[in-house]
Amino acid sequence: RDKGFVVTPGIKFGSDFAVYKHGPGIDHAPFMIQVRLKSEELSAADIVRSGRLATTVKKEFTLAVPDLVNEKVEYITFKWWKA
């Protein structure tokens, strides 16, 4: 929200949040966000599962990793391509 995006619950995309540039009904959400703490384990299967889902619904799969001490969030976006 601080960056000007519209953030909604992402349950219909199997994620924590859906992020829009303008808003639902105006455009499609280009990002699906999954929030994970640094201490949480993330398996290769989790990444592949989320990436395949994101590709199916034409979104970028992004992890949001909050730094609770410094009150910042680091974003990691996965992009998929065909060889």
Side-chain angles (χ1 to χ4, degrees), residues 38 63-67 72-76:
K38 284 185 181 184
L63 286 175
V65 184
D67 179 340
K72 293 182 180 181
V73 179
E74 181 176 353
Y75 297 96
I76 304 166

Side-chain angles (χ1 to χ4, degrees), residues 1-8 18-23 27 30-31:
R1 290 186 179 110
D2 292 344
K3 297 180 187 295
F5 291 105
V6 177
V7 181
T8 64
V19 178
Y20 297 80
K21 290 183 180 177
H22 302 286
D27 63 347
F31 306 103

Side-chain angles (χ1 to χ4, degrees), residues 1-57:
R1 290 186 179 110
D2 292 344
K3 297 180 187 295
F5 291 105
V6 177
V7 181
T8 64
I11 190 73
K12 70 180 180 179
F13 301 115
S15 64
D16 294 319
F17 299 101
V19 178
Y20 297 80
K21 290 183 180 177
H22 302 286
I26 300 170
D27 63 347
H28 293 282
F31 306 103
M32 55 184 268
I33 309 292
Q34 194 71 257
V35 179
R36 294 286 183 126
L37 297 176
K38 284 185 181 184
S39 61
E40 285 184 84
E41 191 171 294
L42 182 65
S43 72
D46 292 332
I47 293 171
V48 171
R49 186 179 307 111
S50 296
R52 288 181 60 89
L53 174 62
T55 299
T56 301
V57 295

